[in-house]
Amino acid sequence: MAFRGVDYLCIDSLFSEQELLVRNTARKFVDERVQPIIRQHFRDATFPKELIPEMAHLGFFGANLEGYGCAGMSNVEYGLIMQEVERGDSGLRSFVSVQGGLVMYPILEYGSEEQKSKWLPKLQSGEAIGCFGLTEPGFGSNPAGMLTRAVQDGSHWVLNGEKTWITNGSVADVAVVWARTPDGIRGFVIEKGTPGFNTSLIHGKWSMRASVTSSLSFSDCRVPESAMLPKAKGLKAPLSCLTQARHGIGWGVIGAAMDCYETARSYVVLRKQFDDKPLASHQMVQEKLAWMITEITKAQLLALQCGRLKDQGKLEPAHISMLKRNNAAMALECARLSRDLLGGNGITEEYPIMRHLMNLETVKTYEGTDHIHALVIGERVTGVAAYK
Ligand SMILES: Cc1cc2nc3c(=O)[nH]c(=O)nc-3n(C[C@H](O)[C@H](O)[C@H](O)COP(=O)(O)OP(=O)(O)OC[C@H]3O[C@@H](n4cnc5c(N)ncnc54)[C@H](O)[C@@H]3O)c2cc1C
């Protein structure tokens, strides 16, 4: 069934015709191609790789980047794509976020001409899949403590260490990996099959089941000097990639929230209890819907303002912290309230709500947890860093 959208406050009137065209194209793709298959993939814990060529053809990968075959869309257009894709599933949106924001962006921004021309066209066309290795078993919220080391040996770098929770890790053709060097933290572009580089799938996830998550290990992994991202120096380089991806997450989760809200709203007007009256006729049920539509509307306005600021080059990481933190928490609460309104039916896979709810638990945690973004905002408004 075609999704009719959630727009309480005529927010569509704030988008250009081109932005609405992009959104509606992504919406149709999700309705026709994602919705019919995603439940089975989630149940089987498989990524829907059959969708990669179509997403590439629609320009989703690196959509807001310029050159090397990228679509060169605005950040608002990109955000609207992410919203629709995450309405399908957060795992699918994670794939698009990682490919564009965490792999193509650092190669474009910090890579050599050789790295750009080798990888960007292939990543844009979906011929190659990428992953981004920052998190380690002992260092998640605090990547500055990373233990993965790269030391120079003649014209090569030798990497040792372990990364974990890496989206696309086991299926990636190329990994952007961050390691400590005598010169500070540096990024490396490492090809699948490089001796000493191994991946293993993380099993047993109750969240992001339609997404591949892996550990990466480096054991005397030798890469040529040309594998280093020449312009990425220090932790601010990987953090700048996260800024790109978090902007997409801030938009994406609105899609998951819309799907939960709309599922619950259409359910309560039909489902009857007590004197053959619909659930929608009860005040406590309406209060939950009122909360959700109000919070979704506020989240839409927050995302739109961030997208517009990003297009003007004025969006700061602390703004994105507010966007990611608020919108992920909002979507998770919408999923919980919607699940409640469906009663027992809410826990089944027949409805998308429980899947979104489980996925959004990851979204609250990855790309900077709710707490860490609160600390970024706190630092911004007080001038005092409270991380340690
Ligand atoms: C499905 C999935 C996919 C992922 N994909 C990727 C990927 O592609 N690449 C990648 O590099 N990483 C990825 N991650 C890792 C993710 O970014 C980390 O899980 C996240 O940064 C949190 O780190 P952690 O899990 O080690 O939790 P921890 O850092 O141990 O945090 C645990 C809890 O402690 C809190 N906490 C920590 N420090 C503080 C503090 N100073 N003050 C208050 N509270 C604090 C946190 O907020 C959290 O509630 C992924 C994770 C998941 C689950």
Side-chain angles (χ1 to χ4, degrees):
M1 205 173 64
F3 180 63
R4 60 179 211 158
V6 175
D7 185 7
Y8 187 82
L9 210 58
C10 303
I11 291 174
D12 275 6
S13 67
L14 302 175
F15 295 123
S16 69
E17 268 182 40
Q18 177 61 26
E19 287 162 350
L20 291 175
L21 182 68
V22 168
R23 200 258 328 260
N24 293 343
T25 304
R27 182 165 285 180
K28 190 162 178 286
F29 164 77
V30 170
D31 286 341
E32 293 176 0
R33 304 288 296 128
V34 180
Q35 300 295 21
I37 62 167
I38 195 64
R39 187 199 300 185
Q40 187 66 44
H41 276 289
F42 192 86
R43 189 190 301 158
D44 297 345
T46 50
F47 175 74
K49 58 178 184 301
E50 61 272 32
L51 299 177
I52 294 175
E54 263 176 276
M55 291 195 289
H57 179 70
L58 290 169
F60 288 2
F61 303 144
N64 56 346
L65 305 179
E66 298 273 355
Y68 301 91
C70 298
M73 291 187 201
S74 74
N75 288 291
V76 171
E77 288 164 357
Y78 176 72
L80 288 166
I81 292 173
M82 303 304 260
Q83 170 189 291
E84 293 305 317
V85 173
E86 190 146 0
R87 185 172 61 79
D89 192 83
S90 305
L92 195 62
R93 199 270 306 135
S94 297
F95 183 95
V96 182
S97 286
V98 169
Q99 185 87 347
L102 297 180
V103 181
M104 295 172 72
Y105 171 80
I107 293 176
L108 182 69
E109 190 68 18
Y110 302 115
S112 64
E113 193 46 55
E114 185 195 334
Q115 290 164 340
K116 291 185 211 183
S117 43
K118 175 165 181 186
W119 289 110
L120 291 177
K122 283 190 194 168
L123 289 161
Q124 194 289 321
S125 67
E127 206 184 314
I129 297 173
C131 72
F132 176 89
L134 179 66
T135 303
E136 300 189 354
F139 296 92
S141 297
N142 177 24
M146 71 173 65
L147 297 178
T148 300
R149 293 270 188 289
V151 291
Q152 206 156 11
D153 181 18
S155 60
H156 283 71
W157 285 92
V158 183
L159 277 84
N160 280 286
E162 197 180 340
K163 300 286 175 182
T164 194
W165 293 116
I166 308 306
T167 302
N168 297 345
S170 315
V171 292
D173 301 285
V174 60
V176 170
V177 177
W178 303 92
R180 187 178 301 287
T181 72
D183 198 19
I185 290 168
R186 303 295 303 254
F188 296 86
V189 179
I190 303 184
E191 280 189 54
K192 180 183 189 164
T194 303
F197 170 33
N198 290 297
T199 66
S200 59
L201 203 57
I202 296 178
H203 293 283
K205 290 179 297 168
W206 289 119
S207 178
M208 296 287 185
R209 290 178 61 77
S211 170
V212 171
T213 318
S214 317
S215 295
L216 315 181
S217 73
F218 302 91
S219 175
D220 289 334
C221 173
R222 284 173 72 81
V223 292
E225 220 161 18
S226 59
M228 182 185 261
L229 289 169
K231 291 180 238 161
K233 293 182 182 155
L235 193 62
K236 65 181 189 306
L239 294 185
S240 74
C241 305
L242 295 175
T243 295
Q244 299 299 313
R246 288 165 180 164
H247 168 254
I249 293 173
W251 282 86
V253 290
I254 297 171
M258 284 175 166
D259 201 26
C260 293
Y261 163 81
E262 188 49 29
T263 303
R265 192 201 60 78
S266 53
Y267 184 89
V268 298
V269 294
L270 293 177
R271 167 85 174 165
K272 292 184 176 148
Q273 291 290 304
F274 294 102
D275 297 337
D276 209 28
K277 287 199 305 196
L279 295 177
S281 67
H282 301 291
Q283 291 175 348
M284 281 185 280
V285 170
Q286 290 198 4
E287 193 277 335
K288 287 187 172 60
L289 292 171
W291 187 90
M292 285 193 261
I293 190 64
T294 305
E295 292 304 316
I296 289 172
T297 302
K298 285 152 68 179
Q300 288 170 323
L301 292 170
L302 183 55
L304 180 58
Q305 173 66 353
C306 284
R308 295 270 184 254
L309 285 177
K310 194 165 190 314
D311 281 336
Q312 295 160 19
K314 294 182 189 161
L315 189 68
E316 297 170 20
H319 296 146
I320 296 187
S321 286
M322 182 180 283
L323 172 69
K324 193 271 180 182
R325 176 171 186 262
N326 179 78
N327 289 12
M330 173 286 297
L332 189 52
E333 193 55 21
C334 282
R336 289 173 178 158
L337 292 173
S338 301
R339 208 294 305 152
D340 187 9
L341 288 179
L342 264 71
N345 283 330
I347 70 156
T348 67
E349 64 168 17
E350 195 182 331
Y351 297 92
I353 296 173
M354 198 71 188
R355 178 167 52 80
H356 284 309
L357 201 164
M358 291 192 281
N359 283 339
L360 289 163
E361 289 290 349
T362 286
V363 182
K364 185 181 182 196
T365 288
Y366 74 6
E367 302 263 355
T369 68
D370 185 90
H371 292 162
I372 295 301
H373 288 298
L375 296 176
V376 174
I377 298 168
E379 182 180 7
R380 170 64 184 265
V381 297
T382 62
V384 183
Y387 305 92
K388 293 182 183 168

mmCIF file of all heavy atoms in Angstrom, residues 9-35:
data_model
loop_
_atom_site.group_PDB
_atom_site.id
_atom_site.type_symbol
_atom_site.label_atom_id
_atom_site.label_comp_id
_atom_site.label_asym_id
_atom_site.label_seq_id
_atom_site.Cartn_x
_atom_site.Cartn_y
_atom_site.Cartn_z
ATOM 1 N N LEU A 9 1.607 19.802 9.861
ATOM 2 C CA LEU A 9 1.767 21.261 9.909
ATOM 3 C C LEU A 9 2.132 21.860 8.536
ATOM 4 O O LEU A 9 2.814 22.860 8.465
ATOM 5 C CB LEU A 9 2.868 21.584 10.937
ATOM 6 C CG LEU A 9 2.785 22.892 11.697
ATOM 7 C CD1 LEU A 9 1.490 23.019 12.479
ATOM 8 C CD2 LEU A 9 3.981 23.021 12.652
ATOM 9 N N CYS A 10 1.677 21.190 7.460
ATOM 10 C CA CYS A 10 1.963 21.671 6.097
ATOM 11 C C CYS A 10 3.471 21.863 5.893
ATOM 12 O O CYS A 10 3.898 22.853 5.267
ATOM 13 C CB CYS A 10 1.249 22.985 5.793
ATOM 14 S SG CYS A 10 -0.518 22.878 6.008
ATOM 15 N N ILE A 11 4.258 20.934 6.410
ATOM 16 C CA ILE A 11 5.711 21.051 6.257
ATOM 17 C C ILE A 11 6.118 20.799 4.806
ATOM 18 O O ILE A 11 7.121 21.345 4.338
ATOM 19 C CB ILE A 11 6.425 20.123 7.273
ATOM 20 C CG1 ILE A 11 6.186 20.687 8.685
ATOM 21 C CG2 ILE A 11 7.929 20.014 7.004
ATOM 22 C CD1 ILE A 11 6.686 19.841 9.809
ATOM 23 N N ASP A 12 5.301 20.050 4.085
ATOM 24 C CA ASP A 12 5.601 19.851 2.650
ATOM 25 C C ASP A 12 5.705 21.189 1.913
ATOM 26 O O ASP A 12 6.435 21.296 0.928
ATOM 27 C CB ASP A 12 4.514 18.984 1.982
ATOM 28 C CG ASP A 12 4.780 17.494 2.161
ATOM 29 O OD1 ASP A 12 5.737 17.147 2.895
ATOM 30 O OD2 ASP A 12 4.046 16.677 1.564
ATOM 31 N N SER A 13 5.001 22.194 2.411
ATOM 32 C CA SER A 13 5.039 23.495 1.725
ATOM 33 C C SER A 13 6.408 24.164 1.877
ATOM 34 O O SER A 13 6.712 25.137 1.183
ATOM 35 C CB SER A 13 3.941 24.412 2.265
ATOM 36 O OG SER A 13 4.234 24.750 3.610
ATOM 37 N N LEU A 14 7.233 23.652 2.788
ATOM 38 C CA LEU A 14 8.572 24.229 2.986
ATOM 39 C C LEU A 14 9.607 23.587 2.067
ATOM 40 O O LEU A 14 10.752 24.022 2.015
ATOM 41 C CB LEU A 14 9.009 24.051 4.449
ATOM 42 C CG LEU A 14 8.085 24.673 5.503
ATOM 43 C CD1 LEU A 14 8.570 24.328 6.912
ATOM 44 C CD2 LEU A 14 8.005 26.190 5.333
ATOM 45 N N PHE A 15 9.212 22.516 1.362
ATOM 46 C CA PHE A 15 10.145 21.841 0.451
ATOM 47 C C PHE A 15 9.937 22.348 -0.974
ATOM 48 O O PHE A 15 8.814 22.693 -1.361
ATOM 49 C CB PHE A 15 9.903 20.321 0.469
ATOM 50 C CG PHE A 15 10.202 19.674 1.799
ATOM 51 C CD1 PHE A 15 9.226 18.950 2.475
ATOM 52 C CD2 PHE A 15 11.461 19.769 2.365
ATOM 53 C CE1 PHE A 15 9.490 18.343 3.701
ATOM 54 C CE2 PHE A 15 11.745 19.165 3.594
ATOM 55 C CZ PHE A 15 10.753 18.460 4.259
ATOM 56 N N SER A 16 11.025 22.350 -1.762
ATOM 57 C CA SER A 16 10.914 22.724 -3.179
ATOM 58 C C SER A 16 10.298 21.560 -3.956
ATOM 59 O O SER A 16 10.229 20.430 -3.456
ATOM 60 C CB SER A 16 12.300 23.048 -3.734
ATOM 61 O OG SER A 16 13.056 21.841 -3.805
ATOM 62 N N GLU A 17 9.897 21.852 -5.193
ATOM 63 C CA GLU A 17 9.349 20.780 -6.045
ATOM 64 C C GLU A 17 10.364 19.671 -6.244
ATOM 65 O O GLU A 17 10.037 18.494 -6.240
ATOM 66 C CB GLU A 17 8.975 21.361 -7.408
ATOM 67 C CG GLU A 17 7.535 21.802 -7.439
ATOM 68 C CD GLU A 17 7.145 22.324 -8.805
ATOM 69 O OE1 GLU A 17 7.572 21.747 -9.819
ATOM 70 O OE2 GLU A 17 6.413 23.336 -8.827
ATOM 71 N N GLN A 18 11.621 20.080 -6.424
ATOM 72 C CA GLN A 18 12.684 19.095 -6.636
ATOM 73 C C GLN A 18 12.848 18.204 -5.400
ATOM 74 O O GLN A 18 13.007 16.989 -5.512
ATOM 75 C CB GLN A 18 13.999 19.841 -6.954
ATOM 76 C CG GLN A 18 15.217 18.969 -7.127
ATOM 77 C CD GLN A 18 15.077 17.979 -8.283
ATOM 78 O OE1 GLN A 18 14.330 18.210 -9.234
ATOM 79 N NE2 GLN A 18 15.791 16.858 -8.191
ATOM 80 N N GLU A 19 12.794 18.816 -4.214
ATOM 81 C CA GLU A 19 12.926 18.036 -2.969
ATOM 82 C C GLU A 19 11.772 17.044 -2.832
ATOM 83 O O GLU A 19 11.984 15.882 -2.462
ATOM 84 C CB GLU A 19 12.987 18.991 -1.762
ATOM 85 C CG GLU A 19 14.316 19.725 -1.668
ATOM 86 C CD GLU A 19 14.300 20.963 -0.779
ATOM 87 O OE1 GLU A 19 13.218 21.410 -0.350
ATOM 88 O OE2 GLU A 19 15.393 21.514 -0.533
ATOM 89 N N LEU A 20 10.564 17.497 -3.175
ATOM 90 C CA LEU A 20 9.413 16.584 -3.073
ATOM 91 C C LEU A 20 9.513 15.460 -4.095
ATOM 92 O O LEU A 20 9.126 14.322 -3.835
ATOM 93 C CB LEU A 20 8.107 17.363 -3.255
ATOM 94 C CG LEU A 20 7.777 18.311 -2.090
ATOM 95 C CD1 LEU A 20 6.534 19.133 -2.407
ATOM 96 C CD2 LEU A 20 7.567 17.547 -0.788
ATOM 97 N N LEU A 21 10.063 15.782 -5.271
ATOM 98 C CA LEU A 21 10.230 14.754 -6.303
ATOM 99 C C LEU A 21 11.194 13.662 -5.826
ATOM 100 O O LEU A 21 10.922 12.460 -5.949
ATOM 101 C CB LEU A 21 10.768 15.406 -7.588
ATOM 102 C CG LEU A 21 10.960 14.491 -8.776
ATOM 103 C CD1 LEU A 21 9.610 14.012 -9.300
ATOM 104 C CD2 LEU A 21 11.715 15.225 -9.892
ATOM 105 N N VAL A 22 12.303 14.102 -5.234
ATOM 106 C CA VAL A 22 13.286 13.147 -4.692
ATOM 107 C C VAL A 22 12.630 12.304 -3.600
ATOM 108 O O VAL A 22 12.741 11.077 -3.563
ATOM 109 C CB VAL A 22 14.532 13.898 -4.141
ATOM 110 C CG1 VAL A 22 15.412 12.970 -3.330
ATOM 111 C CG2 VAL A 22 15.327 14.532 -5.285
ATOM 112 N N ARG A 23 11.930 12.951 -2.678
ATOM 113 C CA ARG A 23 11.269 12.242 -1.580
ATOM 114 C C ARG A 23 10.256 11.224 -2.122
ATOM 115 O O ARG A 23 10.207 10.076 -1.685
ATOM 116 C CB ARG A 23 10.563 13.272 -0.686
ATOM 117 C CG ARG A 23 10.237 12.800 0.706
ATOM 118 C CD ARG A 23 8.776 12.404 0.964
ATOM 119 N NE ARG A 23 7.725 13.072 0.267
ATOM 120 C CZ ARG A 23 6.965 14.055 0.768
ATOM 121 N NH1 ARG A 23 7.180 14.505 1.968
ATOM 122 N NH2 ARG A 23 5.973 14.568 0.062
ATOM 123 N N ASN A 24 9.465 11.652 -3.107
ATOM 124 C CA ASN A 24 8.414 10.755 -3.610
ATOM 125 C C ASN A 24 9.007 9.575 -4.379
ATOM 126 O O ASN A 24 8.454 8.471 -4.352
ATOM 127 C CB ASN A 24 7.413 11.538 -4.463
ATOM 128 C CG ASN A 24 6.631 12.525 -3.593
ATOM 129 O OD1 ASN A 24 6.624 12.394 -2.363
ATOM 130 N ND2 ASN A 24 6.003 13.503 -4.217
ATOM 131 N N THR A 25 10.130 9.797 -5.045
ATOM 132 C CA THR A 25 10.797 8.687 -5.753
ATOM 133 C C THR A 25 11.290 7.657 -4.735
ATOM 134 O O THR A 25 11.098 6.445 -4.900
ATOM 135 C CB THR A 25 11.984 9.222 -6.593
ATOM 136 O OG1 THR A 25 11.479 10.223 -7.470
ATOM 137 C CG2 THR A 25 12.657 8.128 -7.388
ATOM 138 N N ALA A 26 11.929 8.155 -3.648
ATOM 139 C CA ALA A 26 12.410 7.243 -2.603
ATOM 140 C C ALA A 26 11.226 6.557 -1.919
ATOM 141 O O ALA A 26 11.279 5.373 -1.586
ATOM 142 C CB ALA A 26 13.247 8.019 -1.583
ATOM 143 N N ARG A 27 10.154 7.291 -1.732
ATOM 144 C CA ARG A 27 8.947 6.741 -1.062
ATOM 145 C C ARG A 27 8.395 5.570 -1.887
ATOM 146 O O ARG A 27 8.054 4.521 -1.351
ATOM 147 C CB ARG A 27 7.917 7.865 -0.927
ATOM 148 C CG ARG A 27 6.655 7.449 -0.220
ATOM 149 C CD ARG A 27 5.852 8.659 0.213
ATOM 150 N NE ARG A 27 6.462 9.309 1.373
ATOM 151 C CZ ARG A 27 5.985 10.395 1.971
ATOM 152 N NH1 ARG A 27 4.908 10.982 1.518
ATOM 153 N NH2 ARG A 27 6.605 10.913 3.024
ATOM 154 N N LYS A 28 8.318 5.767 -3.208
ATOM 155 C CA LYS A 28 7.781 4.718 -4.097
ATOM 156 C C LYS A 28 8.692 3.487 -4.072
ATOM 157 O O LYS A 28 8.227 2.351 -4.004
ATOM 158 C CB LYS A 28 7.700 5.306 -5.512
ATOM 159 C CG LYS A 28 6.959 4.486 -6.524
ATOM 160 C CD LYS A 28 6.579 5.390 -7.702
ATOM 161 C CE LYS A 28 5.876 4.642 -8.800
ATOM 162 N NZ LYS A 28 6.719 3.784 -9.601
ATOM 163 N N PHE A 29 9.998 3.744 -4.078
ATOM 164 C CA PHE A 29 10.951 2.624 -4.027
ATOM 165 C C PHE A 29 10.738 1.803 -2.751
ATOM 166 O O PHE A 29 10.696 0.572 -2.781
ATOM 167 C CB PHE A 29 12.386 3.182 -4.102
ATOM 168 C CG PHE A 29 13.437 2.196 -3.679
ATOM 169 C CD1 PHE A 29 13.826 1.164 -4.529
ATOM 170 C CD2 PHE A 29 14.031 2.289 -2.417
ATOM 171 C CE1 PHE A 29 14.791 0.245 -4.127
ATOM 172 C CE2 PHE A 29 14.982 1.371 -2.011
ATOM 173 C CZ PHE A 29 15.366 0.344 -2.866
ATOM 174 N N VAL A 30 10.574 2.499 -1.631
ATOM 175 C CA VAL A 30 10.401 1.787 -0.353
ATOM 176 C C VAL A 30 9.071 1.034 -0.339
ATOM 177 O O VAL A 30 9.007 -0.136 0.055
ATOM 178 C CB VAL A 30 10.532 2.769 0.836
ATOM 179 C CG1 VAL A 30 10.123 2.115 2.148
ATOM 180 C CG2 VAL A 30 11.971 3.282 0.923
ATOM 181 N N ASP A 31 8.005 1.683 -0.799
ATOM 182 C CA ASP A 31 6.692 1.008 -0.828
ATOM 183 C C ASP A 31 6.726 -0.249 -1.703
ATOM 184 O O ASP A 31 6.205 -1.292 -1.324
ATOM 185 C CB ASP A 31 5.618 1.957 -1.387
ATOM 186 C CG ASP A 31 5.241 3.037 -0.381
ATOM 187 O OD1 ASP A 31 5.521 2.855 0.823
ATOM 188 O OD2 ASP A 31 4.679 4.062 -0.798
ATOM 189 N N GLU A 32 7.335 -0.102 -2.881
ATOM 190 C CA GLU A 32 7.235 -1.194 -3.859
ATOM 191 C C GLU A 32 8.312 -2.256 -3.725
ATOM 192 O O GLU A 32 8.082 -3.422 -4.018
ATOM 193 C CB GLU A 32 7.292 -0.613 -5.291
ATOM 194 C CG GLU A 32 6.063 0.221 -5.589
ATOM 195 C CD GLU A 32 6.127 0.885 -6.956
ATOM 196 O OE1 GLU A 32 7.142 0.690 -7.675
ATOM 197 O OE2 GLU A 32 5.162 1.610 -7.284
ATOM 198 N N ARG A 33 9.503 -1.851 -3.290
ATOM 199 C CA ARG A 33 10.631 -2.779 -3.336
ATOM 200 C C ARG A 33 11.096 -3.237 -1.951
ATOM 201 O O ARG A 33 11.596 -4.341 -1.800
ATOM 202 C CB ARG A 33 11.802 -2.130 -4.099
ATOM 203 C CG ARG A 33 11.447 -1.664 -5.483
ATOM 204 C CD ARG A 33 11.232 -2.800 -6.472
ATOM 205 N NE ARG A 33 12.471 -3.515 -6.654
ATOM 206 C CZ ARG A 33 12.594 -4.818 -6.540
ATOM 207 N NH1 ARG A 33 11.556 -5.568 -6.269
ATOM 208 N NH2 ARG A 33 13.768 -5.400 -6.686
ATOM 209 N N VAL A 34 10.954 -2.347 -0.951
ATOM 210 C CA VAL A 34 11.459 -2.705 0.384
ATOM 211 C C VAL A 34 10.373 -3.378 1.225
ATOM 212 O O VAL A 34 10.597 -4.457 1.790
ATOM 213 C CB VAL A 34 12.007 -1.455 1.129
ATOM 214 C CG1 VAL A 34 12.524 -1.841 2.513
ATOM 215 C CG2 VAL A 34 13.096 -0.771 0.300
ATOM 216 N N GLN A 35 9.209 -2.746 1.293
ATOM 217 C CA GLN A 35 8.165 -3.267 2.194
ATOM 218 C C GLN A 35 7.829 -4.740 1.945
ATOM 219 O O GLN A 35 7.661 -5.498 2.908
ATOM 220 C CB GLN A 35 6.884 -2.406 2.130
ATOM 221 C CG GLN A 35 7.078 -0.926 2.520
ATOM 222 C CD GLN A 35 7.467 -0.703 3.979
ATOM 223 O OE1 GLN A 35 7.965 -1.603 4.645
ATOM 224 N NE2 GLN A 35 7.276 0.509 4.469
#
